Amino acid sequence: MQTANELRKLLTDINHKSYPAYKSLRGLYQFPGYVLSIDHVQGDPFAAPSRVSIHLDGKTAGFPKNLYDTRPKRIALQDYLLRLFARAIEPYSFQAKGSGKSGLLGVSRCGQEILERTACSLNPQNGALILNMEVGFPANGRSIQSQELAKILYDFLPGCVEKTLYYRRLNPADCTRVAQLCEDQQAIRQELKKRHLTAFVANGAILPRESGISDKPMRRAVPFASPSSLEVTMELPNRGPIRGMGIPEGITLIVGGGFHGKSTLLHALELGVYDHIAGDGRELVITDSTAVKLRSEDSRSISNTDISLFINDLPNKGNTKAFSTADASGSTSQAANVVEGIEAGTSLFLIDEDTSATNFMIRDELMQRVVSDSEEPITPFISRVRDLSWHLGISSILVAGSSGSYFHVADTIIQMKEYIPYDITGKAKKEASAFPAFSYALRPFVSPVFERRPVPDRTLKDQDRLRIKAMGRESIMVQKSVTDLRYVEQLVDSEQLHALAVLLCEAAAKYMDGHRTLLQIVDLLEQQMDTHGLSSLKASGNCDLARPRRQEIFACLNRCRNLKF
Ligand code: ADP
Ligand code: MG
């Protein structure tokens, strides 16, 4: 390893040379207190910025063990440090001058959710800290301006590192609060299981967001308040007792007039699979972490999926026990989404009528009389929702403002009225009993079979010059093949998509041999991340990654058109 002074000399030597001379800087340099690693150097000042990492040993970083002695706490601390560092470098970005991206300083942009990211990692054994960042190496045209890079490396960064990554320079109370919130969130997660609840929404929570493009809490929103019949108390290790709405396992219906806050509540529940940062308003909104949002998804690809729970006897005699299509309809896509959710091990489905296929959700009495069940290929979700709960232990929370059909099958009925929930189970059940009882499915419940063994096509097999890209939150691209993930709504960060692209390639290269089932393949991917860490996946790209849930790994592989199942 070379010293910081040696690096300074190297910088002087390459000043005003042609841009590729920057490549000679790759390597490790000992700075006072940390090692600076120049991992990847960009090809020109307009290309994606260079990758630099900062390595602190456990003693220098100095974080007390009790701030990271569990996996969730470690992830919360990493997340907190990354945010602090991002804020510290922001004013210095583009202060070093030059063309194109010269002088850019950046790290992963964190949203409201706390995710495990490669961008900041704390070694659980020894407390060593690694932080990855982007630096635009400065040039004028293609002529290296190394005195500008020196400004970044010697004047800007050392202060930022000290101020945000040395425990002794931080406010200990702030760090403790991060760990304490995390402990409280984990306590609620555990308590949900013990008490047979699918979700908890604390009184006072702020559910709506500032706007369609801002995930920050809405100002002057109506705070959440639980109906007394559903109110439970959670004894939290740090905050002590808090009260809020506990949604029991089983089938829960959310009804109410338009604009009264139904979708907002459901959306908060969807994202309650993640922990949120302090001040988000949803930090004490916690949902069963396996929950899967279901929606219709016209034109998705379905490969060899058993959707016979919902679709049978197609007019074209298509086999719905092993159904494939390159262009699914609303109802078949939603059917596939349910079955794949079961395979991915969910115990809670979340459904909003706004984004569902009506013919998948219900068939009303009158229609049943006119078009007999035997002439209808679709067994609607309403006829299966109880089966899912009884046979597979999967609960459902549904938003249904326009159809009363689900009153018959719901265990709990919540009405949203001016953003406040009311428990109307008794009243709604009484009204429903006067209406024709809903009729059960004609076809018996048979658990779907999961015997699919995916194999990659040439695009994924040929990994010599792998090109991987995440297009925001929308889709991933491997070589030139796109996998559309726009409607996988619980993906919250482009780095999760990037990780999915890497996982897809990893699975294709290592695990998809035509013998392993999809389930075994996902298990192996998760094992790899658990044992070797998320950064073990990094080999194939210069981007940082965020860990997706198991459910989204399934969703991605299931939607990939380069896999044959
Ligand atoms: P619904 O699904 O019942 O039609 P939405 O959940 O879409 O209603 O909410 C309608 C509007 O009300 C949205 O613009 C949302 O931001 C706003 N809203 C939701 N909850 C609250 C709240 N607690 N306080 C203030 N505004 C809210
Ligand atoms: Mg709505």
Side-chain angles (χ1 to χ4, degrees), residues 208-209 218 220-223 257-265 354 419:
R209 300 294 97 191
M218 179 189 275
R220 288 187 289 277
V222 177
F259 310 105
H260 281 262
K262 303 182 297 294
S263 297
T264 303
L265 171 58
D354 288 357
Y419 318 125

PDB file of all heavy atoms in Angstrom, residues 208-209 218 220-223 257-265 354 419, ligand 1:
ATOM      1  N   PRO A 208     -50.210   9.595   4.579  1.00  0.00           N
ATOM      2  CA  PRO A 208     -50.118  10.151   3.221  1.00  0.00           C
ATOM      3  C   PRO A 208     -48.776  10.832   2.981  1.00  0.00           C
ATOM      4  O   PRO A 208     -48.123  11.273   3.932  1.00  0.00           O
ATOM      5  CB  PRO A 208     -51.255  11.177   3.179  1.00  0.00           C
ATOM      6  CG  PRO A 208     -51.449  11.587   4.581  1.00  0.00           C
ATOM      7  CD  PRO A 208     -51.125  10.389   5.429  1.00  0.00           C
ATOM      8  N   ARG A 209     -48.399  10.899   1.701  1.00  0.00           N
ATOM      9  CA  ARG A 209     -47.117  11.496   1.319  1.00  0.00           C
ATOM     10  C   ARG A 209     -47.357  12.895   0.785  1.00  0.00           C
ATOM     11  O   ARG A 209     -48.459  13.252   0.382  1.00  0.00           O
ATOM     12  CB  ARG A 209     -46.436  10.622   0.269  1.00  0.00           C
ATOM     13  CG  ARG A 209     -46.153   9.215   0.746  1.00  0.00           C
ATOM     14  CD  ARG A 209     -45.127   9.157   1.853  1.00  0.00           C
ATOM     15  NE  ARG A 209     -45.692   9.084   3.202  1.00  0.00           N
ATOM     16  CZ  ARG A 209     -44.980   9.237   4.317  1.00  0.00           C
ATOM     17  NH1 ARG A 209     -43.702   9.497   4.263  1.00  0.00           N
ATOM     18  NH2 ARG A 209     -45.555   9.138   5.496  1.00  0.00           N
ATOM     19  N   MET A 218     -46.817  14.015   4.384  1.00  0.00           N
ATOM     20  CA  MET A 218     -47.660  15.176   4.068  1.00  0.00           C
ATOM     21  C   MET A 218     -47.730  16.073   5.300  1.00  0.00           C
ATOM     22  O   MET A 218     -47.868  15.588   6.423  1.00  0.00           O
ATOM     23  CB  MET A 218     -49.062  14.691   3.711  1.00  0.00           C
ATOM     24  CG  MET A 218     -50.040  15.799   3.392  1.00  0.00           C
ATOM     25  SD  MET A 218     -51.729  15.152   3.247  1.00  0.00           S
ATOM     26  CE  MET A 218     -51.745  14.621   1.554  1.00  0.00           C
ATOM     27  N   ARG A 220     -49.585  18.692   7.720  1.00  0.00           N
ATOM     28  CA  ARG A 220     -50.961  18.909   8.160  1.00  0.00           C
ATOM     29  C   ARG A 220     -51.909  17.770   7.760  1.00  0.00           C
ATOM     30  O   ARG A 220     -53.071  17.980   7.449  1.00  0.00           O
ATOM     31  CB  ARG A 220     -51.507  20.241   7.635  1.00  0.00           C
ATOM     32  CG  ARG A 220     -50.881  21.441   8.340  1.00  0.00           C
ATOM     33  CD  ARG A 220     -51.553  22.736   7.939  1.00  0.00           C
ATOM     34  NE  ARG A 220     -51.231  23.109   6.576  1.00  0.00           N
ATOM     35  CZ  ARG A 220     -50.109  23.754   6.239  1.00  0.00           C
ATOM     36  NH1 ARG A 220     -49.220  24.073   7.162  1.00  0.00           N
ATOM     37  NH2 ARG A 220     -49.864  24.058   4.989  1.00  0.00           N
ATOM     38  N   ALA A 221     -51.379  16.552   7.744  1.00  0.00           N
ATOM     39  CA  ALA A 221     -52.231  15.393   7.464  1.00  0.00           C
ATOM     40  C   ALA A 221     -53.003  15.017   8.717  1.00  0.00           C
ATOM     41  O   ALA A 221     -52.636  15.409   9.824  1.00  0.00           O
ATOM     42  CB  ALA A 221     -51.372  14.223   7.019  1.00  0.00           C
ATOM     43  N   VAL A 222     -54.081  14.285   8.540  1.00  0.00           N
ATOM     44  CA  VAL A 222     -54.830  13.776   9.688  1.00  0.00           C
ATOM     45  C   VAL A 222     -54.079  12.572  10.244  1.00  0.00           C
ATOM     46  O   VAL A 222     -53.873  11.595   9.530  1.00  0.00           O
ATOM     47  CB  VAL A 222     -56.257  13.354   9.274  1.00  0.00           C
ATOM     48  CG1 VAL A 222     -57.000  12.760  10.452  1.00  0.00           C
ATOM     49  CG2 VAL A 222     -56.994  14.528   8.660  1.00  0.00           C
ATOM     50  N   PRO A 223     -53.639  12.634  11.496  1.00  0.00           N
ATOM     51  CA  PRO A 223     -52.882  11.507  12.055  1.00  0.00           C
ATOM     52  C   PRO A 223     -53.773  10.272  12.208  1.00  0.00           C
ATOM     53  O   PRO A 223     -54.980  10.401  12.413  1.00  0.00           O
ATOM     54  CB  PRO A 223     -52.406  12.005  13.420  1.00  0.00           C
ATOM     55  CG  PRO A 223     -52.806  13.433  13.523  1.00  0.00           C
ATOM     56  CD  PRO A 223     -53.821  13.721  12.469  1.00  0.00           C
ATOM     57  N   GLY A 257     -65.930   5.639   1.110  1.00  0.00           N
ATOM     58  CA  GLY A 257     -66.144   6.434  -0.092  1.00  0.00           C
ATOM     59  C   GLY A 257     -64.823   6.807  -0.752  1.00  0.00           C
ATOM     60  O   GLY A 257     -63.762   6.684  -0.138  1.00  0.00           O
ATOM     61  N   GLY A 258     -64.933   7.264  -1.998  1.00  0.00           N
ATOM     62  CA  GLY A 258     -63.731   7.692  -2.718  1.00  0.00           C
ATOM     63  C   GLY A 258     -63.035   8.831  -1.982  1.00  0.00           C
ATOM     64  O   GLY A 258     -63.696   9.645  -1.338  1.00  0.00           O
ATOM     65  N   PHE A 259     -61.719   8.863  -2.038  1.00  0.00           N
ATOM     66  CA  PHE A 259     -60.889   9.930  -1.444  1.00  0.00           C
ATOM     67  C   PHE A 259     -60.901   9.941   0.081  1.00  0.00           C
ATOM     68  O   PHE A 259     -60.512  10.923   0.684  1.00  0.00           O
ATOM     69  CB  PHE A 259     -61.307  11.318  -1.960  1.00  0.00           C
ATOM     70  CG  PHE A 259     -61.415  11.371  -3.454  1.00  0.00           C
ATOM     71  CD1 PHE A 259     -62.652  11.384  -4.074  1.00  0.00           C
ATOM     72  CD2 PHE A 259     -60.267  11.359  -4.228  1.00  0.00           C
ATOM     73  CE1 PHE A 259     -62.746  11.404  -5.455  1.00  0.00           C
ATOM     74  CE2 PHE A 259     -60.350  11.382  -5.608  1.00  0.00           C
ATOM     75  CZ  PHE A 259     -61.598  11.402  -6.234  1.00  0.00           C
ATOM     76  N   HIS A 260     -61.356   8.846   0.715  1.00  0.00           N
ATOM     77  CA  HIS A 260     -61.361   8.847   2.172  1.00  0.00           C
ATOM     78  C   HIS A 260     -60.119   8.194   2.779  1.00  0.00           C
ATOM     79  O   HIS A 260     -60.047   8.003   3.981  1.00  0.00           O
ATOM     80  CB  HIS A 260     -62.641   8.197   2.699  1.00  0.00           C
ATOM     81  CG  HIS A 260     -63.822   9.132   2.656  1.00  0.00           C
ATOM     82  ND1 HIS A 260     -64.246   9.846   3.751  1.00  0.00           N
ATOM     83  CD2 HIS A 260     -64.627   9.497   1.641  1.00  0.00           C
ATOM     84  CE1 HIS A 260     -65.282  10.604   3.418  1.00  0.00           C
ATOM     85  NE2 HIS A 260     -65.541  10.408   2.132  1.00  0.00           N
ATOM     86  N   GLY A 261     -59.160   7.815   1.910  1.00  0.00           N
ATOM     87  CA  GLY A 261     -57.877   7.353   2.456  1.00  0.00           C
ATOM     88  C   GLY A 261     -57.660   5.843   2.437  1.00  0.00           C
ATOM     89  O   GLY A 261     -56.762   5.349   3.126  1.00  0.00           O
ATOM     90  N   LYS A 262     -58.442   5.101   1.661  1.00  0.00           N
ATOM     91  CA  LYS A 262     -58.289   3.642   1.623  1.00  0.00           C
ATOM     92  C   LYS A 262     -56.949   3.233   1.012  1.00  0.00           C
ATOM     93  O   LYS A 262     -56.199   2.466   1.594  1.00  0.00           O
ATOM     94  CB  LYS A 262     -59.430   2.996   0.792  1.00  0.00           C
ATOM     95  CG  LYS A 262     -60.822   3.315   1.280  1.00  0.00           C
ATOM     96  CD  LYS A 262     -61.879   2.610   0.446  1.00  0.00           C
ATOM     97  CE  LYS A 262     -61.920   3.022  -1.028  1.00  0.00           C
ATOM     98  NZ  LYS A 262     -62.324   4.428  -1.247  1.00  0.00           N
ATOM     99  N   SER A 263     -56.692   3.761  -0.190  1.00  0.00           N
ATOM    100  CA  SER A 263     -55.453   3.364  -0.878  1.00  0.00           C
ATOM    101  C   SER A 263     -54.219   3.843  -0.108  1.00  0.00           C
ATOM    102  O   SER A 263     -53.187   3.174  -0.098  1.00  0.00           O
ATOM    103  CB  SER A 263     -55.424   3.926  -2.302  1.00  0.00           C
ATOM    104  OG  SER A 263     -56.486   3.378  -3.051  1.00  0.00           O
ATOM    105  N   THR A 264     -54.358   4.990   0.537  1.00  0.00           N
ATOM    106  CA  THR A 264     -53.234   5.514   1.313  1.00  0.00           C
ATOM    107  C   THR A 264     -52.882   4.553   2.454  1.00  0.00           C
ATOM    108  O   THR A 264     -51.708   4.267   2.705  1.00  0.00           O
ATOM    109  CB  THR A 264     -53.581   6.908   1.871  1.00  0.00           C
ATOM    110  OG1 THR A 264     -53.924   7.750   0.771  1.00  0.00           O
ATOM    111  CG2 THR A 264     -52.424   7.506   2.632  1.00  0.00           C
ATOM    112  N   LEU A 265     -53.900   4.037   3.126  1.00  0.00           N
ATOM    113  CA  LEU A 265     -53.667   3.062   4.198  1.00  0.00           C
ATOM    114  C   LEU A 265     -53.026   1.805   3.621  1.00  0.00           C
ATOM    115  O   LEU A 265     -52.035   1.291   4.153  1.00  0.00           O
ATOM    116  CB  LEU A 265     -54.996   2.731   4.900  1.00  0.00           C
ATOM    117  CG  LEU A 265     -54.954   1.568   5.891  1.00  0.00           C
ATOM    118  CD1 LEU A 265     -53.937   1.819   7.000  1.00  0.00           C
ATOM    119  CD2 LEU A 265     -56.344   1.328   6.509  1.00  0.00           C
ATOM    120  N   ASP A 354     -58.487  -0.593  -7.058  1.00  0.00           N
ATOM    121  CA  ASP A 354     -58.033   0.374  -8.076  1.00  0.00           C
ATOM    122  C   ASP A 354     -57.131  -0.273  -9.127  1.00  0.00           C
ATOM    123  O   ASP A 354     -57.089   0.157 -10.269  1.00  0.00           O
ATOM    124  CB  ASP A 354     -57.226   1.521  -7.431  1.00  0.00           C
ATOM    125  CG  ASP A 354     -58.105   2.465  -6.626  1.00  0.00           C
ATOM    126  OD1 ASP A 354     -59.330   2.254  -6.618  1.00  0.00           O
ATOM    127  OD2 ASP A 354     -57.551   3.390  -6.014  1.00  0.00           O
ATOM    128  N   TYR A 419     -60.256   9.826   6.492  1.00  0.00           N
ATOM    129  CA  TYR A 419     -58.919   9.354   6.855  1.00  0.00           C
ATOM    130  C   TYR A 419     -58.849   8.645   8.209  1.00  0.00           C
ATOM    131  O   TYR A 419     -57.771   8.304   8.684  1.00  0.00           O
ATOM    132  CB  TYR A 419     -57.883  10.493   6.817  1.00  0.00           C
ATOM    133  CG  TYR A 419     -58.045  11.408   5.637  1.00  0.00           C
ATOM    134  CD1 TYR A 419     -58.188  12.782   5.807  1.00  0.00           C
ATOM    135  CD2 TYR A 419     -58.091  10.893   4.341  1.00  0.00           C
ATOM    136  CE1 TYR A 419     -58.364  13.614   4.714  1.00  0.00           C
ATOM    137  CE2 TYR A 419     -58.265  11.723   3.247  1.00  0.00           C
ATOM    138  CZ  TYR A 419     -58.407  13.081   3.447  1.00  0.00           C
ATOM    139  OH  TYR A 419     -58.582  13.901   2.367  1.00  0.00           O
TER     140      TYR A 419
HETATM  141  P1  ADP B   1     -59.292   6.380  -1.667  1.00  0.00           P
HETATM  142  O1  ADP B   1     -58.396   5.234  -2.024  1.00  0.00           O
HETATM  143  O2  ADP B   1     -60.168   6.081  -0.505  1.00  0.00           O
HETATM  144  O3  ADP B   1     -60.064   6.898  -2.828  1.00  0.00           O
HETATM  145  P2  ADP B   1     -56.822   7.836  -1.213  1.00  0.00           P
HETATM  146  O4  ADP B   1     -56.130   6.961  -0.228  1.00  0.00           O
HETATM  147  O5  ADP B   1     -56.345   7.761  -2.608  1.00  0.00           O
HETATM  148  O6  ADP B   1     -58.403   7.596  -1.171  1.00  0.00           O
HETATM  149  O7  ADP B   1     -56.708   9.319  -0.654  1.00  0.00           O
HETATM  150  C1  ADP B   1     -57.289  10.419  -1.307  1.00  0.00           C
HETATM  151  C2  ADP B   1     -56.474  11.667  -1.022  1.00  0.00           C
HETATM  152  O8  ADP B   1     -56.484  11.990   0.354  1.00  0.00           O
HETATM  153  C3  ADP B   1     -55.014  11.542  -1.417  1.00  0.00           C
HETATM  154  O9  ADP B   1     -54.623  12.677  -2.115  1.00  0.00           O
HETATM  155  C4  ADP B   1     -54.273  11.449  -0.105  1.00  0.00           C
HETATM  156  O10 ADP B   1     -52.995  12.012  -0.178  1.00  0.00           O
HETATM  157  C5  ADP B   1     -55.173  12.211   0.850  1.00  0.00           C
HETATM  158  N1  ADP B   1     -55.054  11.646   2.209  1.00  0.00           N
HETATM  159  C6  ADP B   1     -55.019  10.344   2.531  1.00  0.00           C
HETATM  160  N2  ADP B   1     -54.889  10.171   3.856  1.00  0.00           N
HETATM  161  C7  ADP B   1     -54.845  11.410   4.393  1.00  0.00           C
HETATM  162  C8  ADP B   1     -54.687  11.897   5.732  1.00  0.00           C
HETATM  163  N3  ADP B   1     -54.575  11.065   6.771  1.00  0.00           N
HETATM  164  N4  ADP B   1     -54.652  13.236   5.904  1.00  0.00           N
HETATM  165  C9  ADP B   1     -54.771  14.077   4.850  1.00  0.00           C
HETATM  166  N5  ADP B   1     -54.907  13.674   3.584  1.00  0.00           N
HETATM  167  C10 ADP B   1     -54.940  12.364   3.335  1.00  0.00           C
END
